[in-house]
Amino acid sequence: MAAERARGGVGVPLPHDSGHLHVSGEATYIDDIPEARGTLHAAIGIAARAHARIVSMDLAKVRAAPGVVAVIAAADIPGKNDYGPVIADDPIFATSLVQYHGQSLFAVAARTVVEARKASRLAVVNYEELTPLLTAEAAVEAQSFVLPTEHLVRGNPHAAIAAAPHRLRGRLRMGGQDQFYLEGMIAYALPREDGTMLVHSSTQHPGEVQHQVAHALDVPASDVVVECRRMGGGFGGKESQPGLFACIAALLARTTRRPVKLRCDRDDDMIITGKRHDFVTDYDVGFDDDGRIRGVDFVLAGRCGYSADLSGSINDRAMLHSDNCYFLENVSIVSFRCKTNTVSNTAFRGFGGPQGMVGIEQVIDDIARHLGRDPLAVRKVNFYGTTERNVTHYQQTIVDNVIHEIVAELEKSSDYAKRRRELRAFNQTSPVVKRGIALTPVKFGISFTATHLNQAGCLLHVYTDGTMLLNHGGTEMGQGLFIKVAQVVAEELAVDVDRIRITASDTSKVPNASPTAASSGSDMNGKAAQAAAQEIRRRLADFAGSHFGVAPKSVVFRANRVHAGERSVSFNELVKLAYFARVPLSATGFYRTPKIGYDRKTWSGMPFYYFCYGAAVSEVAVDTLTGENRVLRVDIVHDVGKSLNPAVDMGQIEGGFIQGMGWLTMEELWWNDEGKLMTHAPSTYKIPVASDVPPVFNVRIFESDGNAEDSIHRSKAVGEPPLMLGISVLHALRDAIAATAGYALSPQLDAPATPEAILRALEELAARRGEPAPAKVAESIG
Ligand code: MTE
Ligand code: MOS
């Protein structure tokens, strides 16, 4: 009896709470909500220039098109023509200046989606063309920035580099990435009585959408309710930019006094919304004979696009992750926030961290080749220590370093050393196909770097039949947040998890919630929900104590029952008794992350509550004649502390890895010379699919005593960190390419390492050695 446990507390590998609805098609996404009578459909009219002045815009044909009920542009906005999340530089509709190809100019509401979309193409716009700035390099050249340049210095990097026995310089480019959530951007606005508005928005940040809509409509925030039951994926893309769609739907609803739904098709979604920042990173590094870095200088140029959006924090995070797992005693990092005439880049899983980490990982790889050493050995000599060499370049002491254990475990379980030897022997005898292997580590800081965002709230109701309704400020995008938080509540009250009904994120239930981002959803909402459940339990224990005549402290909750001295009742019975005794059965909970805070002026302090760690070994085969390649085997050990839900966490680790691999190897965004995105559909933009999952994929959760900090049940965040495990694939490809040059030179391989990019790297490497490239040799042989 004593060992009996309620179903589904923390640590239990429960399936996603909506899993049965996802697979049967019954999960309600916004487009599945039954449409209210009179619903209109909206479409956005977008700019066909990257940089231009609008001389005139004639919307007569749009208004006259079949089915059109309303057309609005900037002048029709009663409130603010802006949805910028941090600074006001994101107009809902462009007024006189077009800043990217795809910028919204006006919007149409019509009886049907097709009518709205057709009408949106009929505007006659006269542009006076201006020269567009399209790349990060061009922006640096022109000193065009969305935000001031930042500079972090620690120690004396330039002297250290100059004095070091070896020195290398390099430049690497990494592309952006479209979030490619399966459910595109969508908002459904329903006018309600007395000028109020309900907006269903596919957003990671309902609270921000609420404010954006209120500002656009010029009404108080209390007049707008934003709801989101779930997103069909967000991946950061729905952190700040759903506001555009919600504002337009709400403005049209206000104008027409009818419900309005705005659903982007895939092409428009990709053309209009921001992506991961592409980066150009320059480095200059000095090191010793062991490969230990003496000093390093980074210049990071992140392409932000036309506006600031979240680019400040994203580029900050790139700077803060330019160390990855390595102790950089003397370091300088300059960060340019490049303003270009392209879409405003935004959050994407990792939030700039991956771009910072790819930089230092390439430095390590280049050092290893220069010295003729195993890159893993060079990684290890640079790892942070546990008691010394353990202070980051932003002065945070790392107290939870487990990278040594993780790498040691992975090296053993993946048979890294033996496979590396075998693969090199294979390459000796294989002239065309070359194999490569790489082990790369990850350390990722958890917390929002904007300190005020590290707060969360929860609302928990208990009904008289003992069932519960759980609401918190977090949003569900497939990552499994809702089930994890429900498990926390079930654990606290020792009841079955299935009696907890999980409900939509709703600004009218939990106010001022932060975005579900920075991987901190379960950390923060879990703690807030725990606080609410503890409050309920305290009230029930107090009541049981007085009702049964025992000390409240001695009341025990176990397996759906409550024990008070000799007496025991079911949880349901106790709830009913408490109700009749007029005990309040609804509670809120609140959480703020302790300890953190840092000074951005001096780049010092404690931006992160703790760190997540992991490592991956990837093995690839490259056809050196075509650049075609396969990932043959991947082994991962990843630290999630004490998992709240190992099944969900495994899904995040596997999915994150694949998404990171996709970013660095196959997802290529391509703009033409006029600044028009040409890869705006799955026909031209290749994301990894089920068949890209490596045939051997060994993923293990690192066993430990859990988070060193007092996180929710000692778990760790898992949403973003595994993405960066994908860096191992890029480095395995570099290793395979380097095989063609006897491992003596580092390939100049930019990301994404598509077959074309791999061929270019092979050619460049051969040219550097004064030899023809493998493909050229094959051609001459015929
Ligand atoms: N997993 C799925 N299935 N879908 C998503 O959109 N977003 C990622 C990650 N995992 C995402 C996902 C991103 S960018 C973040 S920040 C976290 O989930 C957010 O959720 P969490 O804080 O609850 O982990
Ligand atoms: Mo995730 S990029 O923090 O939404």
Side-chain angles (χ1 to χ4, degrees):
M1 265 311 264
E4 204 182 291
R5 216 186 146 188
R7 275 194 309 278
V10 303
V12 182
L14 294 179
H16 193 287
D17 51 286
S18 292
H20 62 297
L21 304 177
H22 293 153
V23 296
S24 63
E26 287 174 275
T28 305
Y29 296 90
I30 291 173
D31 207 27
D32 303 315
I33 296 171
E35 283 168 14
R37 186 149 35 92
T39 293
L40 298 171
H41 299 270
I44 306 179
I46 59 176
R49 297 290 183 279
H51 195 199
R53 241 179 276 290
I54 301 174
V55 178
S56 66
M57 184 163 75
D58 182 357
L59 300 177
K61 281 192 187 145
V62 184
R63 287 184 212 285
V68 169
V69 177
V71 181
I72 57 167
D76 304 302
I77 299 175
K80 257 172 56 185
N81 180 19
D82 182 72
Y83 71 101
V86 182
I87 59 176
D89 61 350
D90 283 298
I92 297 168
F93 298 121
T95 48
S96 54
L97 185 67
V98 167
Q99 298 193 81
Y100 76 99
H101 200 294
Q103 188 167 8
S104 79
L105 302 178
F106 65 94
V108 189
R111 282 177 321 215
T112 68
V113 176
V114 173
E115 285 170 333
R117 288 185 184 162
K118 280 189 173 163
S120 72
R121 308 269 196 278
L122 298 177
V124 181
V125 186
N126 279 318
Y127 299 102
E128 178 197 328
E129 303 220 15
L130 303 167
T131 312
L133 274 179
L134 298 177
T135 63
E137 284 120 314
V140 173
E141 179 82 38
Q143 297 282 298
S144 162
F145 304 120
V146 290
L147 291 165
T149 299
E150 295 291 338
H151 192 183
L152 182 163
V153 186
R154 177 219 218 156
N156 201 341
H158 298 116
I161 294 168
H166 307 274
R167 181 170 185 173
L168 280 174
R169 292 191 182 90
R171 162 172 285 200
L172 62 141
R173 291 188 176 79
M174 60 204 99
Q177 183 178 24
D178 190 88
Q179 290 83 2
F180 223 99
Y181 26 65
L182 290 182
E183 177 205 37
M185 290 287 193
I186 182 166
Y188 186 25
L190 296 119
R192 298 208 286 200
E193 67 169 28
D194 207 14
T196 62
M197 187 79 74
L198 168 66
V199 183
H200 296 279
S201 169
S202 184
T203 174
Q204 294 171 238
H205 200 175
E208 186 171 271
V209 171
Q210 176 195 19
H211 284 281
Q212 289 162 333
V213 167
H215 292 156
L217 296 179
D218 195 23
V219 299
S222 52
D223 285 3
V224 178
V225 173
V226 175
E227 195 183 304
C228 177
R229 171 58 186 86
R230 60 171 65 77
M231 285 159 274
F235 303 111
K238 293 175 182 167
E239 192 174 334
S240 64
Q241 305 203 352
L244 174 68
F245 306 91
C247 287
I248 291 176
L251 286 163
L252 285 167
R254 158 65 70 85
T255 304
T256 58
R257 295 170 172 268
R258 286 165 72 170
V260 174
K261 184 153 82 180
L262 172 51
R263 186 191 74 221
C264 269
D265 69 7
R266 178 65 57 186
D267 302 79
D268 283 346
D269 188 296
M270 289 185 78
I271 290 167
I272 295 170
T273 68
K275 299 154 207 326
R276 183 188 292 288
H277 293 59
D278 46 309
F279 266 56
V280 179
T281 297
D282 288 307
Y283 75 79
D284 184 357
V285 63
F287 50 97
D288 66 17
D289 294 338
D290 294 329
R292 187 175 270 199
I293 294 172
R294 295 272 178 88
V296 61
D297 180 343
F298 280 113
V299 178
L300 314 178
R303 180 165 64 152
C304 303
Y306 83 94
S307 72
D309 184 80
L310 302 171
S311 292
S313 304
I314 290 165
N315 285 277
D316 286 1
R317 191 170 275 266
M319 297 171 75
L320 297 174
H321 283 78
S322 288
D323 58 339
N324 193 12
C325 294
Y326 312 112
F327 178 61
L328 305 179
E329 196 167 11
N330 299 290
V331 57
S332 160
I333 306 169
V334 170
S335 163
F336 294 122
R337 288 97 203 268
C338 301
K339 177 173 168 135
T340 51
N341 295 108
T342 48
V343 67
S344 187
N345 282 331
T346 191
F348 193 136
R349 206 170 193 172
F351 206 76
Q355 292 93 319
M357 283 160 59
V358 167
I360 186 69
E361 287 302 332
Q362 171 145 342
V363 167
I364 297 270
D365 208 52
D366 288 355
I367 291 174
R369 291 216 206 289
H370 184 82
L371 296 174
R373 302 195 58 184
D374 178 359
L376 179 57
V378 176
R379 292 193 156 95
K380 287 184 188 167
V381 300
N382 283 291
F383 276 164
Y384 279 111
T386 46
T387 52
E388 42 159 36
R389 291 168 56 85
N390 62 345
V391 178
T392 65
H393 54 307
Y394 44 87
Q395 308 307 324
Q396 174 164 352
T397 302
I398 303 175
V399 297
D400 60 7
N401 188 352
V402 289
I403 198 60
H404 302 265
E405 285 109 294
I406 287 180
V407 167
E409 186 183 323
L410 181 64
E411 223 184 313
K412 202 153 154 252
S413 68
S414 69
D415 231 354
Y416 171 82
K418 177 159 164 274
R419 283 166 60 209
R420 186 165 179 270
R421 274 196 309 276
E422 288 172 357
L423 173 154
R424 292 196 156 204
F426 168 88
N427 286 344
Q428 294 274 327
T429 58
S430 173
V432 172
V433 173
K434 299 290 185 189
R435 292 195 173 184
I437 192 167
L439 189 159
T440 61
V442 168
K443 169 181 124 291
F444 191 79
I446 299 301
S447 296
F448 287 97
T449 54
T451 306
H452 69 277
L453 292 177
N454 296 289
Q455 57 173 307
C458 171
L459 176 65
L460 180 64
H461 297 327
V462 184
Y463 297 104
T464 53
D465 66 354
T467 63
M468 291 171 218
L469 192 133
L470 172 62
N471 196 279
H472 54 76
T475 57
E476 178 64 48
M477 56 195 103
Q479 85 278 39
L481 171 65
F482 284 10
I483 186 67
K484 286 187 179 180
V485 178
Q487 285 175 266
V488 168
V489 173
E491 179 78 26
E492 211 55 51
L493 295 169
V495 296
D496 295 339
V497 72
D498 23 299
R499 72 166 74 212
I500 300 167
R501 173 53 65 188
I502 297 167
T503 57
S505 319
D506 182 333
T507 56
S508 66
K509 291 187 181 146
V510 173
N512 312 323
S514 293
T516 306
S519 303
S520 58
S522 48
D523 280 14
M524 297 201 315
N525 294 289
K527 277 281 191 185
Q530 184 183 43
Q534 280 170 344
E535 174 64 21
I536 296 280
R537 195 180 61 177
R538 195 185 51 73
R539 289 184 207 154
L540 289 174
D542 282 350
F543 165 72
S546 63
H547 189 78
F548 296 113
V550 297
K553 267 204 187 131
S554 71
V555 175
V556 175
F557 291 70
R558 190 169 60 226
N560 295 304
R561 293 193 71 79
V562 181
H563 303 264
E566 299 295 290
R567 305 281 301 274
S568 144
V569 291
S570 71
F571 181 81
N572 295 355
E573 280 170 73
L574 182 71
V575 165
K576 197 159 286 164
L577 290 169
Y579 165 76
F580 281 108
R582 295 182 292 174
V583 174
L585 293 172
S586 172
T588 58
F590 185 80
Y591 177 71
R592 71 174 77 84
T593 311
K595 294 188 179 178
I596 49 171
Y598 83 119
D599 180 358
R600 213 168 148 279
K601 277 195 224 73
T602 57
W603 288 100
S604 63
M606 183 172 173
F608 305 119
Y609 188 34
Y610 65 87
F611 297 93
C612 293
Y613 300 86
V617 182
S618 294
E619 181 178 343
V620 300
V622 174
D623 180 332
T624 56
L625 299 183
T626 62
E628 199 189 345
N629 58 85
R630 294 261 181 288
V631 180
L632 304 174
R633 173 173 168 183
V634 174
D635 295 70
I636 289 171
V637 175
H638 192 81
D639 165 33
V640 296
K642 288 268 177 230
S643 177
L644 290 174
N645 181 327
V648 163
D649 285 356
M650 280 297 271
Q652 287 291 298
I653 299 168
E654 293 174 354
F657 170 83
I658 297 291
Q659 197 168 37
M661 174 184 89
W663 168 45
L664 293 169
T665 63
M666 59 182 84
E667 300 187 36
E668 186 170 29
L669 292 162
W670 198 79
W671 281 262
N672 72 11
D673 291 344
E674 274 102 58
K676 183 175 180 189
L677 178 66
M678 302 306 284
T679 49
H680 48 75
S683 53
T684 44
Y685 184 76
K686 181 170 163 40
I687 59 168
V689 294
S691 56
D692 293 304
V693 173
V696 183
F697 196 20
N698 302 318
V699 182
R700 263 213 325 279
I701 289 177
F702 179 61
E703 275 183 37
S704 74
D705 298 335
N707 199 330
E709 294 296 340
D710 177 25
S711 62
I712 184 73
H713 293 285
R714 302 275 167 187
S715 65
K716 286 191 176 184
V718 69
E720 296 167 288
L723 180 126
M724 287 147 272
L725 298 169
I727 297 172
S728 61
V729 180
L730 181 68
H731 281 249
L733 290 167
R734 289 171 62 88
D735 189 50
I737 296 168
T740 65
Y743 299 101
L745 299 173
S746 274
Q748 184 60 55
L749 179 66
D750 290 334
T754 59
E756 271 175 286
I758 290 170
L759 271 187
R760 277 198 300 272
L762 284 162
E763 277 168 18
E764 193 277 334
L765 201 57
R768 233 189 296 160
R769 307 175 74 214
E771 287 174 5
K776 292 283 180 294
V777 176
E779 252 170 49
S780 65
I781 298 168

